[in-house]
Amino acid sequence: MTGDTPVLGPDGRTADGSVVADGLRITGRERRPVFGSAFLVSAAALVVGGGIVAGAFAVSWGLFLEAGRTAEGSIANEESYVAYIDQWDALVKVAFGVYPLLGLVAVVLIAWLLTAQAVTVAHVRERANGPDGAALTLRALGRRTRPHVGAAFRIQLLTLACALVPALAGLLVLAVVAMEKVPGVVWPTYHDPATVQFVLVGRILPVAIWALGLVLLYRFLPATAVRVADNCSATAAMRRSWTLTRTTRLRTTGICLSGSVAVTLAFMVLKWFGTYVAHWAGLLMLATTGDNVWVTGVLVIITPVAVALVLLPSVLAPMGVLLACLRERLDAGGRGARTRSGSTTA
């Protein structure tokens, strides 16, 4: 950012170039704490998340077996059938119990991972500007991260709550349009193509609302790094993040959007890799359940996503470094602006 106060790089020299370049430079130099913390998060996700999913299958086991017996009986009698017709409500109840637990685990792990990366960047700056040249071990990283995790968790919850408002608002617009509650807007059919009113209200308006939600989310993303740097409360960190990004909305949105695209592409690649895991998991489940395709089908559907989510922290960790560098650059720019303003006034 032109005119910003210089920020020292990991080697003690002025960090030239973009925030992304600075983040990649730190990620490369501090591979052990960055990817070591990502490995710990992946292991925790595998153990805790896998345990929750395994518990859900255990609770639903009888339902899946009953669905298989019902379907096989209908097929043998040459009768039509609907999958899970008598078990669907109970399976939905189990799912509604599992999803919040998995979401809570994800929020906790993301909070810890982003905090760990902010601590890593802070350690790099301290080592560049001080006599302490010791490397950051995983044990030291965990010790320095622990005091911030509670506030970081609250930051993630508050950010998620703020992002859900426009997300639900966009869905509400779609629902209202689908129910034909908007005068002059009719859902298109095969014989009635989409009208201009429908395109504006049923397509462009929800996308615009969701885009505003993304901008809102991106303005709060540096809050965890703010907490680590300022040791403030969760709400104070979010207010500070909002203030820092006020005059750099486009810059912040561009950097965060680029990181989001990279994470999304990585997720798609990891999900594709997970299909191979799902194949062997499906064969194992078939052998275990006596060719019960009902439970096997559910396992094959969720396995690629589960594999991608477990491996995703290795991509989210550099994103955390990037956010910490962004916070640092925005803070330095704010101090530089205040300094120049004070000099002009004097």
Side-chain angles (χ1 to χ4, degrees):
M1 189 160 53
T2 304
D4 287 351
T5 300
V7 179
L8 292 180
D11 54 0
R13 296 193 297 270
T14 300
D16 54 352
S18 66
V19 175
V20 176
D22 196 23
L24 292 175
R25 183 162 52 244
I26 293 177
T27 300
R29 289 177 178 268
E30 303 295 328
R31 293 184 297 273
R32 181 169 297 181
V34 171
F35 293 106
S37 60
F39 174 79
L40 292 177
V41 170
S42 293
L46 179 61
V47 173
V48 181
I52 293 174
V53 174
F57 272 109
V59 171
S60 308
W61 198 255
L63 298 173
F64 285 117
L65 296 181
E66 180 62 28
R69 286 192 293 266
T70 301
E72 290 171 358
S74 298
I75 294 173
N77 295 327
E78 297 183 353
E79 299 173 351
S80 61
Y81 67 93
V82 178
Y84 313 110
I85 186 170
D86 296 321
Q87 298 81 26
W88 183 253
D89 291 341
L91 289 173
V92 169
K93 291 179 181 179
V94 174
F96 273 108
V98 170
Y99 288 152
L101 290 176
L102 292 177
L104 181 62
V105 171
V107 172
V108 172
L109 294 180
I110 290 175
W112 192 91
L113 185 63
L114 294 181
T115 305
Q117 309 320 313
V119 169
T120 300
V121 174
H123 174 80
V124 169
R125 304 313 187 197
E126 293 168 2
R127 189 171 60 184
N129 294 287
D132 185 13
L136 183 63
T137 64
L138 286 179
R139 178 171 296 182
L141 177 63
R143 184 174 62 252
R144 294 184 57 174
T145 300
R146 195 175 302 117
H148 303 289
V149 172
F153 174 69
R154 291 189 291 275
I155 288 172
Q156 302 308 314
L157 287 181
L158 292 172
T159 302
L160 182 62
C162 292
L164 279 177
V165 173
L168 294 177
L171 292 177
L172 179 61
V173 171
L174 289 178
V176 172
V177 172
M179 293 185 292
E180 298 186 355
K181 298 294 184 180
V182 181
V185 178
V186 180
W187 198 273
T189 62
Y190 179 77
H191 298 288
D192 299 316
T195 61
V196 175
Q197 294 90 332
F198 172 80
V199 173
L200 291 175
V201 178
R203 290 292 182 262
I204 296 179
L205 181 59
V207 172
I209 294 174
W210 291 330
L212 290 175
L214 280 179
V215 174
L216 182 67
L217 175 65
Y218 291 158
R219 292 193 64 180
F220 286 132
L221 280 181
T224 302
V226 172
R227 155 67 193 190
V228 173
D230 299 345
N231 198 26
C232 55
S233 65
T235 53
M238 295 185 70
R239 286 196 299 268
R240 178 61 177 161
S241 176
W242 186 267
T243 301
L244 288 175
T245 57
R246 180 184 302 165
T247 57
T248 58
R249 295 184 184 93
L250 291 178
R251 181 185 181 88
T252 301
T253 301
I255 292 175
C256 293
L257 183 60
S258 299
S260 300
V261 171
V263 171
T264 302
L265 291 176
F267 177 81
M268 295 173 62
V269 172
L270 293 174
K271 185 179 177 182
W272 169 78
F273 171 76
T275 57
Y276 294 95
V277 179
H279 172 73
W280 294 104
L283 293 178
L284 180 61
M285 182 62 77
L286 285 174
T288 304
T289 60
D291 294 335
N292 188 316
V293 297
W294 310 106
V295 64
T296 302
V298 174
L299 179 66
V300 171
I301 290 174
I302 67 174
T303 296
V305 177
V307 170
L309 292 177
V310 167
L311 297 179
L312 197 60
S314 61
V315 183
L316 290 177
M319 182 67 179
V321 175
L322 176 65
L323 292 175
C325 293
L326 175 63
R327 194 282 319 166
E328 193 174 48
R329 189 66 62 89
L330 293 176
D331 191 42
R335 291 198 305 270
R338 289 193 298 271
T339 301
R340 291 191 299 272
S341 177
S343 300
T344 303
T345 303

